């Protein structure tokens, strides 16, 4: 191939015709004597081109003048500078250089993974070889996988083969970031040219990347729970560090110099400059988590990944958060068995992910495109074309590849559009950039022209190897069945309430109120605006316009409450440390867990979502309503008391890798006592600070916040309830005595299988008990368990509930309660109370739920028969007056899901039928035993 035809002019007009001739006739170009252009002409002009500046309307037959790496002029009729070299771009189009908005291009492998390899550090260090205790993270102060001082700009590799591949496809700039660790370091904007790394940097430290998983760092955080807590604590430490140093620097005389910290110093700078956090998030729930977490961290987020952003455009728009969309769209594996039972969620993602850019654009969300794990920049453009076929306008696709990422990362004044004064980053193509077969002819990076390796003279379509799509150097590939136009298979409505009527009346049922009204034959319950408005007999009038439900022959009860559950969460245990009070189940809620809907099908309307039992002091609980289809924060019972999980016995002291204290039951109590003592000291520091402020001492600094000790201090102040996993009677007494030593009352003992032995002591302490119906002797510390436990504790004055601790057992919790009648002779009311009224009292929400009384939330279950019988089945379940489960309507919903899935499989896998597999059929892997 000839050199790009560029000649130094003596007469610009004559030169234009000559260059055009040279472009079309390579043999003539080789035969005619011509001036040899310099390798990097300092001044040149691109003439007769169609110019798409992005910041304005396209220009026909325009000129772009470049001098010393900067765009000097753009327009029609622009005068050529004296001595400029000229490229006649007749028939070509000039665009701004493209931007890969998040990548590792130009980073050596060592900088991509500063922490080395290895498996996931997790859950107390189970699995793999022996772990060196000195290499284990025993808490947030160890700062594992944290490299805040690192920047991508520190070790750029201009010889990375991807630099040329990306540039040849029209990418002139990349936002490149270290990849490994919880905080790998800062991203930099780099131009994809130059012989040395420092020549590539456009702007350093434009955002700090964080991850929620990190390989090769055993210990804390060992689960998703801990990752959120760790990032929040790290940046709270940075905020305190900044306050301390700022105070010292303002007037250092007479003050002790603070200790310099390599990890916190960059955070201090980030806080001052408002450097964004690059936070991983794909779906609506993860995006909401990212926004909430970075709010505590004190810095604005940029979310990356975002392939399910089609369902979260409104969230991003309201928060004003930009997104980096990974264009490596999910597709069915090539050669996949068409009968593979692919989950519906996976099929939906394949169908809808490419619609994300269009949805974001329509909502006004600024976004860029990331190459993700793609190894070819040509493929990036092809995947963008898929997004265009899925509804994204070509204009916004171009903005997402140029101006928008420049704006997101604060370099809009330098790159992203073809404007005078900006860096000369350009791409010259032989057609519309997003048309199949268009090829990149030249890229201009920092004012240097780079011909595409396989660029050839333009010829008419269909002529031999140079036909569009046939030659090398094209930014495309032949369309395949993977390149499906998405969005054509409508989603079945598989979540949300079936009905939400302003007024509903349930008539004719036997109403088991569990309250002062007792049981009402042929009763009537009026629901208005989510609350129980009236309870009575057949004489109650039906309000005008009400929806009437005929409950004849059926039984209406309060919604069932599960006092110990582990559904609706993406993680259960942060088992890497012995006190994990800083982690919160609220941070890992999964509102899409199909277990929520299945719970509703069993009549469960409220659960106590608990942390696991891996540590003496575990994580903070969350009390949830089963509002299927709601966002994570909408599941929370708004005014429920805060709580925390404690655990005694075998689970907390079991052998770990590396060994972790405690290793004995004595040690468990010591851990609890020491945490209480540490929290007392923490509280005292804050009280001293508040007293000084009250005296008018404005110079005193607040203590550093400690999320772990804050939670424990709330226990000591009576602001956070303890729910304690327990088995043996001796340990139950130990915890009671330890708690009373500090003036604390245990809210509930969970499992409490030997509670019958110390029922008087539990009652005297004021604790409740939440136990199993008939599980006993399934491990050594349960050998003395008996199925009469619930009844015996009830007789001694303990407030008792029956819980599930199981996503399956919770679906027939009414029948689990009925077992207390067989084993303990409980009457109907006391048995049913164990999964309704008593549970509401234990969780501190009896003012809202647990009985059918006027003013309470309309959480109700309509059973086919007496609720404690073996054949009783929920027909309808209401939460806040909304119908979330209906046995008849469920059949219609399942049919719609089946039809959608069949259509998606036919489209993406070539299959015509399948069994429905919903989002959460498989149990979560890696969970520690939690009973």
């Amino acid at each position: 191939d000839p050199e790009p035809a560029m000649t130094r002019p003596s007469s610009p007009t004559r030169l234009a015709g000559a260059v055009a001739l040279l472009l079309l006739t390579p043999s003539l170009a080789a035969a005619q004597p011509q001036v040899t252009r310099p390798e990097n002409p300092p001044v040149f002009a691109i003439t007769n081109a169609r110019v798409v500046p992005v910041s304005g309307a396209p220009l026909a037959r325009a000129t772009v003048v470049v001098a010393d790496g900067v765009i000097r002029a753009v327009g029609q009729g622009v005068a050529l500078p004296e001595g400029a070299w000229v490229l006649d771009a007749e028939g070509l189009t000039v665009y701004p250089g493209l931007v890969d908005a998040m990548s590792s291009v130009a980073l050596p492998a060592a900088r991509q993974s500063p922490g080395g390899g290895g498996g996931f550090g997790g859950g107390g260090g189970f699995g793999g070889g022996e772990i060196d205790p000195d290499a284990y993270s025993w808490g947030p102060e160890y700062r594992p996988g944290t490299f805040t001082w690192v920047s991508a700009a520190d070790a750029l590799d201009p010889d990375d083969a991807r630099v040329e591949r990306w540039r040849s496809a029209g990418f002139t700039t990349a936002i490149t970031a270290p990849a490994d660790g919880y905080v790998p370091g800062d991203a930099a904007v780099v131009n994809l040219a130059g012989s040395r790394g420092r020549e590539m940097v456009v702007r350093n430290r434009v955002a700090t990347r964080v991850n929620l998983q990190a390989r090769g760092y055993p210990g804390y955080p060992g689960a998703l729970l801990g990752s959120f807590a760790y990032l929040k604590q790290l940046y709270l430490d940075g905020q305190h560090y900044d306050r301390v140093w700022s105070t010292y620097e303002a007037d250092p005389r007479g003050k002790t110099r603070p200790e310099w910290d390599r990890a916190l110093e960059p955070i201090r700078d980030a806080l001052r400059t408002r450097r964004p956090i690059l936070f991983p998030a794909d779906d609506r729930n993860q995006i909401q988590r990212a926004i909430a977490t970075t709010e505590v961290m004190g810095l604005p987020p940029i979310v990356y990944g975002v392939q399910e952003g089609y369902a979260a455009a409104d969230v991003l728009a309201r928060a004003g958060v930009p997104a980096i969309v990974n264009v490596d769209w999910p597709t069915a594996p090539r050669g996949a068995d068409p009968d593979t039972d692919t989950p519906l969620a996976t099929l939906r993602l394949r169908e809808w992910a490419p619609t994300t850019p269009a949805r974001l654009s329509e909502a006004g969300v600024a976004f860029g495109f990331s190459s993700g794990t793609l190894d070819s920049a040509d493929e990036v453009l092809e995947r963008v074309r898929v997004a265009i076929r899925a509804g994204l306008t070509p204009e916004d696709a171009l903005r997402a590849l140029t101006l928008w990422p420049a704006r997101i990362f604060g370099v809009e004044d330098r790159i992203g559009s073809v404007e005078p004064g900006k860096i000369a980053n350009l791409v010259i193509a032989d057609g519309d950039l997003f048309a199949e077969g268009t090829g990149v002819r030249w890229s201009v990076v920092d004012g240097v022209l780079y011909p595409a390796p396989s660029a050839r003279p333009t010829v008419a379509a269909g002529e031999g190897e140079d036909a569009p799509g046939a030659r090398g150097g094209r930014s495309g590939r032949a369309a395949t069945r993977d390149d499906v136009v998405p969005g054509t298979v409508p989603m079945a409505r598989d979540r949300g309430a079936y009905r939400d009527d302003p007024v509903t009346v349930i008539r004719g049922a036997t109403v088991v109120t569990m309250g002062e009204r007792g049981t009402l034959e042929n009763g009537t319950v009026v629901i208005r605006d989510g609350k129980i408005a009236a309870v009575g007999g057949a004489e109650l009038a039906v309000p005008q316009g009400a929806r009437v439900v005929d409950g004849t022959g059926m039984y209406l009860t309060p919604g069932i409450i599960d006092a110990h559950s582990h559904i609706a969460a993406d993680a259960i245990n942060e088992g890497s440390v012995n006190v994990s009070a800083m982690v919160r189940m609220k941070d890992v809620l999964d509102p899409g867990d199909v277990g929520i809907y299945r719970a509703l099908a069993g009549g469960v309307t409220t659960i106590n979502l608990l942390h696991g039992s891996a540590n003496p002091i575990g994580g903070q609980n969350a009390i949830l309503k089963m509002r299927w289809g709601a966002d994570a924060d909408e599941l929370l019972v708004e005014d429920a008391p805060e709580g925390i999980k404690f655990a005694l016995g075998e689970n907390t002291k079991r052998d770990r890798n590396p060994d972790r204290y405690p290793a004995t039951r004595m040690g468990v109590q010591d851990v609890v006592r020491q945490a209480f003592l540490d929290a007392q000291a923490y509280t005292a520091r804050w009280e001293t600070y508040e007293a000084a402020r009250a005296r008018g001492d404005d110079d005193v600094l607040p203590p550093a916040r400690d999320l772990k000790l804050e939670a424990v201090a709330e226990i000591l102040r009576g602001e956070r309830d303890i729910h304690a996993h327990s088995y043996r009677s001796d340990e139950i007494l130990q915890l009671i005595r330890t708690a009373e030593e500090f003036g604390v009352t245990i809210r509930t003992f969970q499992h409490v299988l030997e509670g019958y032995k110390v029922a008087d002591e539990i009652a005297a302490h004021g604790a409740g008990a939440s136990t199993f119906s008939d599980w006993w002797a399934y491990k050594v510390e349960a050998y003395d368990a008996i199925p009469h436990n619930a009844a015996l504790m009830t007789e001694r004055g303990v407030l008792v509930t029956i819980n599930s601790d199981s996503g399956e057992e919770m679906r027939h919790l009414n029948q689990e309660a009925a077992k207390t009648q067989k084993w303990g002779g409980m009457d109907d009311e006391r048995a049913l109370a164990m999964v309704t009224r008593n549970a509401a009292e234990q969780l501190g929400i009896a003012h809202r739920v647990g009985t059918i009384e006027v003013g309470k939330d309309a959480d109700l279950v309509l059973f086919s028969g007496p609720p404690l019988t073996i054949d009783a089945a929920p027909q309808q379940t209401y939460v806040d007056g909304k119908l979330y489960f209906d046995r008849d309507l469920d059949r219609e919903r399942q049919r719609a899901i089946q039809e959608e899935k069949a259509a998606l499989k036919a489209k993406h896998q070539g299959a015509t039928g399948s069994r429905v597999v919903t989002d959460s059929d498989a149990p979560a892997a890696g969970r520690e035993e939690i009973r």
Side-chain angles (χ1 to χ4, degrees):
D1 291 342
E3 282 276 294
M6 173 178 282
T7 308
R8 190 170 189 167
S10 56
S11 166
T13 302
R14 188 176 73 248
L15 176 68
V19 172
L21 180 62
L22 292 174
L23 282 169
L24 291 172
T25 54
S27 59
L28 181 61
Q32 297 296 319
Q34 53 183 310
V35 179
T36 302
R37 72 173 176 87
E39 183 68 25
N40 181 18
V43 182
F44 65 89
I46 304 166
T47 62
N48 297 319
R50 177 176 179 263
V51 177
V52 182
V54 175
S55 56
L59 304 171
R61 303 193 66 79
T63 296
V64 180
V65 176
V66 175
D68 300 321
V70 176
I71 299 171
R72 299 299 179 183
V74 180
Q76 296 163 324
V78 170
L80 301 184
E82 183 68 27
W85 294 76
V86 176
L87 171 64
D88 188 313
E90 180 78 35
L92 304 180
T93 303
V94 177
Y95 297 95
L98 306 183
V99 180
D100 187 340
M102 188 172 175
S103 74
S104 60
V105 171
L107 278 184
R111 188 50 59 106
Q112 293 176 42
S113 303
F120 282 102
F126 293 108
E130 285 296 317
I131 296 174
D132 181 359
D134 293 334
Y136 190 84
S137 171
W138 296 101
E141 65 276 10
Y142 283 74
R143 298 186 188 143
T146 299
F147 309 98
T148 54
W149 58 90
V150 167
S151 170
D154 294 338
L156 294 172
D157 178 13
D159 295 325
D160 179 356
R162 292 174 297 173
V163 170
E164 183 178 354
R165 291 205 302 272
W166 258 241
R167 189 175 60 221
S168 296
F171 286 87
T172 61
T173 305
I175 287 75
T176 192
D180 191 71
Y182 291 105
V183 186
D186 285 345
V189 180
V190 298
N191 275 349
L192 300 181
S195 59
R196 293 175 294 183
R198 66 190 186 194
E199 297 173 357
M200 303 173 72
V201 179
V202 175
R203 186 183 174 201
N204 191 17
R205 298 193 181 278
V206 293
T208 303
R209 177 175 180 170
V210 302
N211 294 316
L212 295 174
Q213 290 182 322
R215 297 181 182 275
Y217 307 102
Y220 179 83
L224 188 62
L225 282 158
S227 298
F228 286 108
Y230 174 64
L231 291 173
K232 286 185 279 190
Q233 185 64 64
L234 177 66
Y235 276 76
L236 287 173
D237 290 347
Q239 293 169 28
H240 183 260
Y241 180 84
D242 180 45
R243 275 193 296 269
V244 170
W245 269 100
S246 295
T247 301
Y248 175 77
E249 290 168 342
D251 184 11
R253 290 175 298 179
K255 296 177 182 175
T256 302
R257 185 181 72 258
E259 182 177 311
W260 185 85
D261 190 303
R262 180 169 75 155
L264 299 183
E265 192 68 29
I267 293 177
R268 184 186 182 203
D269 178 66
L271 292 166
R272 291 183 165 202
T273 58
R274 299 288 294 163
R275 184 152 64 241
I277 299 291
L278 276 164
F279 207 104
D282 266 320
D283 60 29
R284 182 182 182 91
N285 190 35
Q286 293 170 358
I287 288 167
Q288 290 173 326
R289 289 174 183 168
I291 293 169
T293 303
T294 51
E295 185 175 350
V296 177
M297 294 167 73
L299 290 170
I302 301 169
V303 293
Y304 69 88
V306 202
Q307 289 205 333
E308 293 183 64
Y310 58 84
D314 60 324
V315 174
L316 292 167
R318 280 196 304 271
V321 172
I324 306 301
V325 181
N326 178 2
V327 298
D328 190 5
W329 311 124
T331 58
R334 292 188 183 279
D337 182 349
D339 292 327
T340 298
D341 208 358
T342 308
L344 177 60
T346 301
L347 292 169
R348 281 180 171 172
L349 184 59
R350 292 173 186 168
E351 177 80 350
W352 290 93
T355 71
T356 289
R359 297 289 180 90
L360 297 181
S361 178
E362 291 164 4
V365 176
F367 67 95
F369 287 123
S370 164
S371 56
T373 57
L374 292 173
D375 194 48
S376 163
D378 287 338
E379 271 199 283
V380 175
L381 283 180
E382 184 53 45
R383 302 303 176 88
V384 173
R385 292 183 184 110
V386 173
I388 292 172
R389 295 199 294 274
L392 180 66
T393 67
E395 294 78 13
D396 281 352
L398 183 59
R399 292 184 187 100
L401 284 167
T402 55
L403 193 58
W404 285 347
R407 185 174 299 159
I408 290 169
F409 291 101
V411 289
E412 185 184 2
D413 57 347
R414 288 164 243 191
I415 62 171
S417 60
V418 185
E419 294 182 80
K422 290 195 174 183
I423 296 171
N425 285 357
L426 307 168
V427 56
I428 305 172
D430 56 17
D432 186 311
L433 190 63
F434 300 119
E436 291 288 347
T438 292
V440 171
R441 303 300 303 278
W442 291 277
S443 294
V444 180
V445 187
D446 274 324
V448 178
L449 258 164
Y450 294 90
S454 301
R456 300 178 186 274
T458 303
V459 295
E463 295 185 16
E465 67 172 356
D466 290 326
R471 70 171 186 252
R474 296 292 189 182
S475 58
R477 55 181 170 81
T480 70
R481 189 166 49 82
D482 288 343
D483 297 330
V484 181
V485 179
T488 57
V489 177
M491 280 191 193
R493 189 170 181 271
D494 63 344
R495 61 199 63 204
Y498 287 99
R499 297 187 66 100
D500 180 13
D501 299 289
V503 182
T504 300
V505 178
I506 302 173
R507 295 177 62 86
T510 300
V511 180
V512 185
T513 71
M514 299 304 298
E516 294 181 356
R517 300 291 299 272
T519 297
L520 303 174
E521 302 292 341
N522 194 20
T524 301
V525 174
V526 179
I527 303 168
R528 187 186 301 275
D529 299 327
K531 298 288 185 179
I532 297 170
V535 180
E539 76 283 353
L540 274 182
V542 175
Q544 187 174 4
R547 176 175 173 265
V548 179
V549 176
D550 183 5
T552 302
M554 292 188 274
Y555 283 70
L556 187 69
T557 74
I560 291 172
I561 302 170
D562 191 348
H564 187 129
S565 179
H566 297 295
I567 68 165
D570 284 330
I572 299 299
N573 264 313
E574 179 50 71
S576 58
V577 290
N578 56 23
V579 176
S580 60
M582 59 285 199
V583 308
R584 311 188 313 166
M585 300 309 297
K586 292 178 183 178
D587 290 334
V588 294
L589 296 180
D590 177 11
D593 181 0
V594 72
I596 296 173
Y597 185 69
R598 292 171 178 166
L600 289 161
V604 175
T605 58
T606 304
I607 67 168
N608 182 20
L609 172 59
L610 287 167
H611 185 271
S613 56
N615 10 35
I617 300 181
Q620 301 169 34
N621 73 319
I623 298 175
L624 310 179
K625 290 275 195 97
M626 301 291 92
R627 297 164 177 146
W628 177 236
D631 287 335
D633 58 351
E634 296 170 336
L635 297 177
L636 296 166
V637 177
E638 295 81 358
D639 54 354
E642 298 289 341
I644 193 168
K645 176 76 172 292
F646 278 34
L648 310 175
E650 177 183 317
N651 291 7
T652 60
K653 70 177 188 63
R654 63 175 50 170
D655 187 41
R656 283 175 164 79
N657 177 16
D659 291 338
R660 190 198 78 184
Y661 184 80
T664 66
R665 297 175 191 270
M666 292 183 296
V668 172
Q669 297 300 322
D670 178 60
V671 168
V672 173
R673 179 176 285 105
Q674 188 60 55
F676 284 166
L677 292 171
D678 291 345
Q680 284 181 334
Y682 179 76
T683 299
R685 290 195 294 273
W686 276 94
E687 289 174 345
T688 300
Y689 164 73
E690 296 293 350
R693 295 282 293 178
R695 292 193 303 269
D697 186 354
D698 295 334
D699 293 332
V700 65
L701 287 171
R705 286 186 62 189
D706 186 311
L707 295 177
K708 178 177 72 176
L709 294 180
E710 277 185 12
V712 180
E714 289 166 354
I715 297 170
L716 298 178
R717 294 196 299 268
E719 298 170 0
R720 185 171 295 281
D721 294 335
I722 296 173
H723 301 282
H725 164 112
S726 58
Y727 282 78
R728 285 178 21 176
S729 59
D730 55 339
E731 292 181 304
I732 294 168
L733 292 179
Q734 283 178 331
L735 186 58
I736 287 175
R737 290 164 184 159
T738 301
E740 289 177 348
E741 177 185 338
F742 290 88
V744 171
T745 300
I746 308 298
R747 186 78 182 197
T748 67
F749 284 97
Q750 298 287 320
H751 310 320
V752 61
L753 292 186
E754 291 187 21
Y756 66 93
K757 296 182 179 180
V758 289
D760 290 342
E761 289 81 358
I762 294 173
H765 177 71
S770 188
T771 190
F772 299 134
S773 58
D774 60 356
W775 294 2
W776 65 92
Y778 53 86
K779 62 178 179 176
V780 172
E781 63 180 354
Y783 273 14
D784 277 1
I786 58 174
H788 307 77
N789 189 37
L792 291 175
M793 288 190 291
T794 299
E795 290 174 7
R796 307 305 295 178
V798 179
L799 184 69
V800 179
T801 59
I802 297 293
N803 67 57
S804 76
D805 196 16
S806 160
E808 185 278 327
E809 188 147 311
M810 73 185 305
R811 300 199 290 274
H812 47 89
L813 206 51
N814 57 309
Q815 293 162 348
E816 295 302 304
K819 292 176 182 178
T820 63
Q821 298 182 303
K822 172 179 175 61
W823 298 112
M826 307 291 285
D827 60 35
D828 285 356
E829 181 172 343
R830 288 199 298 172
L832 190 58
M834 290 189 179
V835 292
T836 56
R837 183 180 64 216
N838 292 6
E841 292 178 13
Q842 283 187 355
L843 300 181
I845 54 176
H847 62 292
R848 299 191 59 161
V849 294
T851 61
I852 301 177
E853 296 181 280
V854 172
K856 290 194 175 184
D857 297 351
D859 291 5
L860 305 166
V861 187
L862 191 61
F863 283 95
S864 59
L868 297 174
T869 59
I870 194 66
D871 56 354
Q875 303 301 299
Q876 292 187 331
T877 304
Y878 294 82
V879 180
D880 299 321
K882 299 177 183 179
L883 180 63
Y884 276 97
F885 176 76
D886 182 285
R887 187 167 293 273
D888 294 329
L889 295 177
D890 174 75
R891 295 187 181 96
E892 297 178 16
R893 178 175 282 184
Q894 295 303 325
R895 278 195 295 271
I897 292 172
Q898 180 71 46
E899 291 170 1
E900 179 197 358
K901 184 172 183 182
L904 288 172
K905 286 198 69 175
K907 181 173 182 178
H908 292 275
Q909 293 179 207
T912 57
S914 67
R915 177 178 66 87
V916 172
V917 179
T918 47
D919 297 6
S920 302
D921 275 350
R927 291 183 178 175
E928 187 171 347
E929 191 273 323
I930 55 176
R931 296 190 174 89

